Structure formats: C-alpha cells, structure tokens
C-alpha cells in the first residue's frame, strides 16, 4: 500500500510503509552513524539550506543525511532542488485546505510519520515558515533535538510579518541549537532566554548560496538600468493599488529605467498589477522569477523596491540598495549599514526614497549578512553537538597566558 507520508522518492525498493519502518529500524541498530534530517517546505528554505546540505555531504562517511520536503511549495521547489543537484529522500503532499491551521495541522502529522520512520538524531529547520514550525513541533514532541538555521530574526511585531514572526519565536523556544546569522539575531535570542552556549553566529547561508550561484553562472554586477520591484507580502495586499500607482508614476518620471516586476500569482495581486501597469512601456511584468533569473536581475539592477525579506539579504551581495515596502524589518542590519531604508506603504515616502537612491552613485560596501562561510560554521557546531568529533581543548599554557 502507498506510504501515508506522501511520495517517497530516491528509494531503491518498493515495500509497504510498515516494512519500510521495520527495515530502517533494523539498519539503525546495525549502524553507528548519526542521522541528520533536513526539513524544508518552500523555495527560500531550499536555497538557504542547500549550502549546509552540500557542506555536510562532504562528511557523509561519518553521518547519514536525509532531506524531507513538505510540499508547501511544489514546482518552484523542484526547480531549486535541480539547480543545486539535490534529490530529496521524501517529498510529502501538501495538506488539503486553504487555512493556515489546515496547513500546520496536516504538516505536523505528516512530519511526525517521517520522524517515526527515520528516527533522526537531529532535525535541521530554517527560518519561519509553516513547515519550519510544524517540523519543530513534531520533533519536540518526540524529544528529537532541533537545530534552527537563521535563528533570532525578530521584527518585534506579531502582525508584521504575519504569521512568520510568531512562527520563528515559537521555534526559538523549542530549538536546541540556534544558528544566528548576525550578532543582533544572537542578542535577540539571549534576551529571550536562550543559553549562550547554544548560539552560534554563523552569517546568513543566503550569502553562501549566492556565491555558489554567482560562480556557476559567472554573474557580475554590470549595470543595465534595471529597477527590481517585488510586492507579495500578505500584509501589503490591501495596498497593492496604491503601490502600483507609485510604480506607474516613477516609471513615467524615469523613462530610461526598466522597472522589472515579477507578478505574484494570487488574483488579489495580479489583477491590480495588470490593470494598472500593463500599458507602461518601461515596466516589464513577468511571471515569478526563478532563483537564477532573480540573481541575474539583481546583478543588473540599480535599485530594488521590495517587501521581500530575501531580497533585503541578497541585494547587498550585488551592492544594490533597497527601498523596503514595510513598516518594520527583522533584518535591520541592511538599514544600519546604509544599504536599505524602510519606506512602508506611504506613497510620498517611497517616491522620496527612490529619488534619493537613484541620485546616488553605486558604491561597494561590506555585506552585513556574512562572508559566505555560514555552512562551515554550522557543520563545526553540529560535529561537536552530536559528538562526531571531540571539541578542541584549550591548551593549558595558552589559557594561563590569556
């Protein structure tokens, strides 16, 4: 009979679900390997977890690596797996229903089945999606340690972004290891009561991914007068008409610039965007961009106007400033480093900030989100946590002289 956990891929045998569980449990008894299970649900999670997975595959003789994808994102997720040449071991069907509670409840049950089947020693999750929360809850209920990549991001407002702010706070309470991308994220965790020894400041794995892709595609930051515009956050849907009118006005004001706007597929967004902007010659409305296309567009941009958290992190890699269409951000490092500004959804503020940034010369700045070595730092902590190697001991003489 088919497995209740969804579509099982990359398995070389076909047996029923109970036999699979029995087979795996017998193999666990024979093997001293520690099993590490990656759980993702969305395209951004795959992008940011891929460098960690690839780093760990280099150590595979001493660990057993597994990847479960929850199906929260479908086609775009498959494209990202192919891009990084990763074959997930398990792909679940997205739970039925449109509500957040439908999604979360279904995911917890499906992931629990996987945990019972695979019995990992550590579960790695990323960020703040429903899949991340579901995986953390299921692992916590089974007393399996949770390692949280991109831990400690906080906006301070449960409504913004919604529901991601609540998701990541809950995961932060359940995790055994916290991989904070920045010192500020680590400070947030300490304020909330996380033990200092459980926190590692790693940098953001998105920088690792961006460097991998840039090498593969030979990307460079040659400017071609593009402005990347993205508007997709749920809290901005009521303001889409206003935001589109702002973009329309700016496109008329800057006819030499090409405004590239990937259109969100939700009809509440796409219908307004098409009605307002389809007739503007220098506004390019496209389908949602793949990761490679997005990175190429950023490498050719002079400015990003966005409500995306990911683009706030990725734009500094190409020295592209951001006008952020949000009231708050969990990524204040870009604001503090002078590479982004919060404009909210006030038309006059957005227009003022766009004019300001377009009048500035582009300049090279240090990336506030890391140096591309986050995956290495995560692996070093996992080695110690799972006792795969003994932690380095401080030399007594060096300690005495410290």
């Amino acid at each position: 009979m088919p497995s209740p956990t969804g579509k099982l891929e990359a398995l070389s045998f076909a047996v029923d679900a109970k036999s699979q569980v029995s087979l795996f449990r017998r193999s666990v008894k024979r093997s001293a390997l520690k099993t590490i299970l990656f759980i993702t649900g969305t395209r951004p999670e795959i992008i940011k977890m891929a460098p960690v997975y690839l780093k760990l595959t280099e150590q595979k003789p001493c660990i057993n690596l597994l990847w479960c994808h929850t199906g929260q994102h479908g086609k775009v997720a498959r494209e990202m797996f192919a891009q990084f040449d990763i074959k997930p071991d398990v792909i679940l069907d997205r739970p039925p229903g449109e509500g957040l509670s439908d999604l979360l409840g279904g995911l917890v049950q499906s992931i629990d089945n996987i945990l019972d089947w695979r019995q990992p020693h550590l579960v790695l999750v990323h960020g703040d999606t429903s899949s991340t929360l579901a995986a953390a809850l299921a692992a916590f209920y089974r007393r399996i340690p949770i390692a949280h990549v991109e831990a400690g991001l906080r906006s301070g407002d449960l409504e913004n972004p919604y529901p991601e702010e609540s998701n990541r706070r809950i995961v932060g309470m359940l995790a055994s290891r916290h991989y904070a991308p920045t010192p500020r994220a680590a400070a947030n965790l300490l304020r909330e009561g996380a033990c200092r020894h459980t926190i590692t400041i790693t940098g953001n794995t998105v920088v690792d991914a961006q460097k991998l892709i840039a090498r593969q595609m030979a990307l460079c930051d040659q400017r071609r007068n593009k402005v990347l515009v993205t508007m997709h956050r749920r809290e901005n849907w009521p303001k889409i008409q206003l935001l589109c009118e702002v973009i329309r006005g700016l496109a008329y004001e800057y006819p030499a610039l090409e405004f590239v706007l990937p259109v969100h597929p939700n009809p509440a967004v796409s219908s307004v965007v098409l009605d307002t902007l389809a007739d503007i010659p220098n506004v390019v409305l496209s389908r949602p961009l793949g990761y490679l296309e997005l990175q190429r567009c950023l490498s050719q941009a002079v400015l990003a106007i966005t409500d995306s958290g990911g683009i706030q992190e990725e734009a500094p890699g190409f020295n592209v400033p951001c006008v952020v269409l949000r009231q708050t951000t969990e990524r204040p490092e870009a604001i503090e480093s002078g590479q982004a500004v919060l404009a909210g959804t006030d038309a006059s503020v957005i227009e003022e900030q766009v004019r300001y940034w377009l009048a500035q010369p582009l300049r090279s700045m240090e990336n506030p989100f890391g140096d591309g070595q986050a995956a290495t730092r995560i692996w070093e902590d996992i080695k110690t946590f799972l006792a795969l190697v003994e932690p380095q001991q401080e030399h007594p003489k060096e300690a005495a002289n410290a």
Side-chain angles (χ1 to χ4, degrees):
M1 79 180 176
S3 167
T5 58
K7 302 169 186 173
L8 303 181
E9 297 192 351
L11 295 175
S12 59
F13 49 87
V15 292
D16 63 51
K18 289 183 179 178
S19 298
Q20 290 168 359
V21 173
S22 176
L23 256 171
F24 184 78
R25 285 177 177 165
R26 287 199 300 272
S27 70
V28 167
K29 290 177 183 178
R30 291 194 300 268
S31 173
L33 296 182
K34 297 291 179 71
T35 297
I36 300 172
L37 175 61
F38 286 68
I39 300 180
T40 60
T42 66
R43 185 180 83 158
E45 291 167 83
I46 297 167
I47 293 167
K48 294 182 176 184
M49 288 288 249
V52 183
Y53 182 85
L54 294 174
K55 170 58 68 173
L56 267 60
T57 58
E58 298 172 5
Q59 330 298 328
K60 210 167 183 181
C62 69
I63 53 176
N64 181 35
L65 278 186
L66 300 167
W67 193 311
C68 169
H69 184 67
T70 70
Q72 187 175 339
H73 282 179
K75 181 182 177 182
V76 293
R78 291 191 294 273
E79 292 170 352
M80 287 320 308
F81 282 124
Q83 179 58 51
F84 287 103
D85 196 23
I86 293 170
K87 294 180 180 179
D89 301 273
V90 179
I91 298 178
L92 304 177
D93 292 318
R94 182 185 171 105
E98 297 299 321
L100 289 172
S101 57
D102 298 320
L103 178 62
L104 182 63
L107 288 176
V108 170
Q109 184 60 63
S110 295
I111 293 169
D112 184 68
N113 292 338
I114 296 298
L115 297 179
D116 181 48
W117 174 35
R118 292 299 203 178
Q119 298 188 335
H121 297 85
L122 181 68
V123 169
L124 256 72
V125 298
H126 178 279
D128 50 26
T129 69
S130 294
S131 293
T132 299
L133 177 57
L137 287 169
F140 178 74
Y141 293 154
R142 287 189 173 270
R143 298 184 180 275
I144 298 170
I146 303 151
H148 188 198
V149 179
E150 199 176 272
L153 272 62
R154 300 291 184 267
S155 72
D157 181 357
L158 285 174
E159 295 293 324
N160 193 358
Y162 176 86
E164 290 85 353
E165 177 74 4
S166 64
N167 290 351
R168 57 192 173 218
R169 290 195 200 183
I170 296 169
V171 176
M173 289 189 289
L174 305 179
S176 300
R177 311 304 297 170
H178 306 273
Y179 300 132
T182 64
R184 178 184 289 272
N188 290 338
L189 292 164
L190 288 170
R191 277 195 298 271
E192 292 173 1
C195 295
R196 188 177 297 274
H197 74 272
T198 68
I199 302 169
T200 302
I201 300 172
T202 61
N204 199 304
T205 57
V206 76
V207 182
D208 300 43
Q210 199 173 42
K211 288 179 179 293
L212 282 172
I213 294 300
R215 286 196 296 269
Q216 287 180 14
M217 303 300 295
L219 295 179
C220 59
D221 56 356
Q222 294 177 348
R223 306 300 170 187
R224 297 186 185 175
N225 280 0
K226 290 185 179 180
V227 176
L228 175 63
V229 183
T230 71
M231 303 179 291
H232 75 280
R233 298 213 68 85
R234 188 185 302 264
E235 57 266 29
N236 277 347
W237 288 1
K239 299 292 185 71
I240 289 296
Q241 181 67 57
L242 178 149
L243 294 172
C244 285
E245 289 171 358
V246 171
I247 299 302
R248 184 183 180 92
L250 289 168
Y252 279 127
E253 187 174 346
Y254 295 94
L257 294 179
E258 182 178 82
F259 290 75
V260 179
L261 199 165
V263 182
H264 193 281
N266 189 291
V269 177
S270 60
S271 60
V272 177
V273 171
L274 293 171
D275 288 346
T276 310
L277 296 173
D279 63 334
I280 311 299
N282 59 325
V283 174
V284 177
L285 302 180
S286 74
R287 60 175 174 75
L289 298 179
Y291 183 63
L292 293 182
E293 296 169 300
L294 181 63
Q295 296 306 302
R296 184 173 286 109
C297 187
L298 271 174
S299 74
Q300 299 169 352
V302 293
L303 181 68
I305 304 171
T306 184
D307 60 6
S308 164
I311 290 176
Q312 290 177 60
E313 295 169 341
E314 292 164 347
F318 295 108
N319 298 303
V320 176
C322 283
V323 175
V324 181
L325 305 177
R326 291 171 57 179
Q327 303 297 334
T328 63
T329 180
E330 61 276 31
R331 297 166 174 88
E333 293 84 358
I335 309 293
E336 294 164 354
S337 67
Q339 299 182 56
V341 64
L342 286 175
T345 55
D346 185 299
S348 61
V349 175
I350 297 169
E351 291 164 350
E352 177 186 355
Q353 291 300 328
V354 169
R355 292 178 186 126
Y356 169 80
W357 284 106
L358 291 178
Q360 305 303 310
L362 288 168
R363 60 189 188 279
S364 178
M365 298 182 69
E366 183 178 354
N367 193 327
F369 297 110
D371 58 3
Q373 296 299 313
T376 297
R377 297 183 184 104
I378 290 170
W379 165 237
E380 292 298 323
D381 183 76
I382 288 174
K383 279 197 298 187
T384 302
F385 180 67
L386 292 181
L388 300 175
V389 295
E390 290 295 325
Q392 287 187 344
Q393 299 296 319
E394 188 176 32
H395 194 281
K397 186 174 292 186
E398 292 174 348
N401 294 332

